[in-house]
Amino acid sequence: GGLLFFLLTLGCKEHYFQETINVGGAKYRATGRGFVTSHTSFDEIFRFYAKSHFFSGFELFVGLIIYRCTTIINTATYTTLTWTLWLVAFAWLFAPFWFNPSGLNWDKTLGGYKRWWRWMNGRGGTADDSWEIWWAEENESMFKRRWDQRLASCGKGLLLLAVSYNLVTTELWELWSCDKTSHMKNRENDPWMALAFVIGSLGLVSLVYIGGRYFSNRYYRRTSDFLLFVGGLCLAIVGIANFGFPPVVRTLLAIYYLVAAVHNWVLNVAGENTFTREIARVHSSVVGSFLNIALLILAGLSFPAKVQTR
């Protein structure tokens, strides 16, 4: 526990020192004193640690997986090179829940997920009531930066674009090579058809999502959520059946990184708008759902909860 706590506090210091140096706006964060004896719900933990730990930890987690899948090295070498980074990623993602009393209790974990989902879809009120208000408050200082500071922050977008380009070009080449060596009919347009299929699918899903978010009719919003689930499942089955599981996943990752790069540039140059806000909401939903699924699995095993309370 000592190492996890050290990495957790190190992430706090790194984030807030960096934010203060880059954009200013330092402010007091009330953390309390003494021992924590009461359970903190998932939505409150997410609000406090999302920008400083969860987003960075998730980015590092996905990056390590991509590095393993796109490099030709044996497992021993990979483990030797990256075990410290894996430790940092897991500490930033799960340490806040490990030090949360009854953090792996099934009922409390499930209840926290429901409250977090209501908070993600809330409108108005305070940062405790709505993701939109929380997002605006968390990025308030960033929107007041000078132009030179904003342009300097666009460098991360170039890095995300480079990752996306590498994933797309590598995946298209592998699809083309696979067609050459398989017993299937050789069609050199298949890679571009795969890319067009994924882009078209994301476009349709985005239209349904935006419609569900901005139509006030509750029936329409529930219908759009149902269509998102069914349509996404059908598109995933069709894509995997036609192009295989690895190509579809890597193409989706490439598009995800491309959207993240565009989001970075638009947010730094044009400031907050509907596009940047909704992309950030989707990313928050992905990270939060990933954490909730992992916590529900651990809570369902019951053994980790017993270890935590020892």
Side-chain angles (χ1 to χ4, degrees), residues 175-242:
L175 277 172
W176 184 80
S177 300
C178 181
D179 285 342
K180 291 290 187 179
T181 57
S182 67
H183 297 288
M184 297 173 59
K185 183 179 178 180
N186 178 25
R187 295 178 298 174
E188 295 186 2
N189 289 328
D190 276 357
W192 303 106
M193 292 174 61
L195 186 60
F197 171 80
V198 174
I199 294 176
S201 302
L202 290 176
L204 291 175
V205 170
S206 299
L207 288 176
V208 177
Y209 174 80
I210 293 173
R213 292 298 307 172
Y214 287 97
F215 279 84
S216 58
N217 189 298
R218 177 176 295 182
Y219 173 77
Y220 182 87
R221 295 183 64 178
R222 290 183 176 179
T223 304
S224 69
D225 291 340
F226 175 76
L227 291 176
L228 276 175
F229 174 77
V230 176
L233 182 62
C234 293
L235 290 172
I237 293 174
V238 172
I240 293 172
N242 283 275

